[in-house]
Amino acid sequence: MQDVALHRVTLQVLDDGEVLLAVDVDRDEGVGAGIGAERTAQVGPGSSVVVIGTGGVALNAVQGAVFAGATTIVAVDPSAAKLDAARAFGATHTVDPARDDAVEIVTDVTGGRRADYVIVTVGAPSAVEQGPVLLRRGGTMVIVGMPAAGVTAS
């Protein structure tokens, strides 16, 4: 078991009863799948990153993007409370896909390029399908959430 220095644990019960848990850790420590996704993608300073979903793993992906030096970090989720948490962990922009056009916003905040990296942290088919359209040409998408068999992205 690895020792991890915790600085802040955020536990929030949402209106629908869902519990959101995120761990704020030291830059040098690392937390599982969220920060691991940033390392897998090899996010670097000045990068643009979109994180689809804002549960606990996603918040650590946002935090990993901050640690990697990304300058534009967009969190996408239909939950206002989760988007607030994503901002607290370092998201520079948030998108509610039920009311906002994610492609338009990501295109705007990246100066027309779209994102260098998209981290999909939920397995919903719509999230997996949305990832590629948010990427710039030659960008990298990492899927952390487990989609059902047969879900494709193009």
Side-chain angles (χ1 to χ4, degrees):
M1 175 180 265
Q2 179 183 4
D3 291 331
V4 176
L6 301 180
H7 290 271
R8 176 180 60 189
V9 175
T10 303
L11 177 64
Q12 184 176 15
V13 179
L14 304 179
D15 291 339
D16 63 2
E18 183 177 1
V19 176
L20 177 63
L21 171 69
V23 179
D24 184 9
V25 298
D26 231 352
R27 166 185 309 266
D28 298 327
E29 294 298 335
V31 168
I35 291 177
E38 300 307 321
R39 290 182 180 155
T40 297
Q42 299 180 342
V43 173
S47 298
S48 56
V49 178
V50 173
V51 179
I52 300 177
T54 54
V57 169
L59 293 179
N60 288 311
V62 167
Q63 190 175 41
V66 171
F67 291 169
T71 53
T72 303
I73 305 167
V74 182
V76 180
D77 198 285
S79 168
K82 289 182 177 184
L83 291 174
D84 289 343
R87 276 212 185 264
F89 275 78
T92 58
H93 303 81
T94 57
V95 175
D96 175 347
R99 78 164 197 243
D100 302 321
D101 182 336
V103 174
E104 181 179 311
I105 291 171
V106 169
T107 301
D108 182 54
V109 302
T110 59
R113 283 177 35 110
R114 300 203 182 153
D116 298 314
Y117 304 93
V118 173
I119 312 296
V120 181
T121 65
V122 294
S126 60
V128 175
E129 292 165 357
Q130 185 178 40
V133 299
L134 300 176
L135 277 174
R136 68 166 172 79
R137 181 178 298 277
T140 300
M141 184 167 105
V142 177
I143 302 173
V144 179
M146 179 58 92
V151 172
T152 62
S154 57

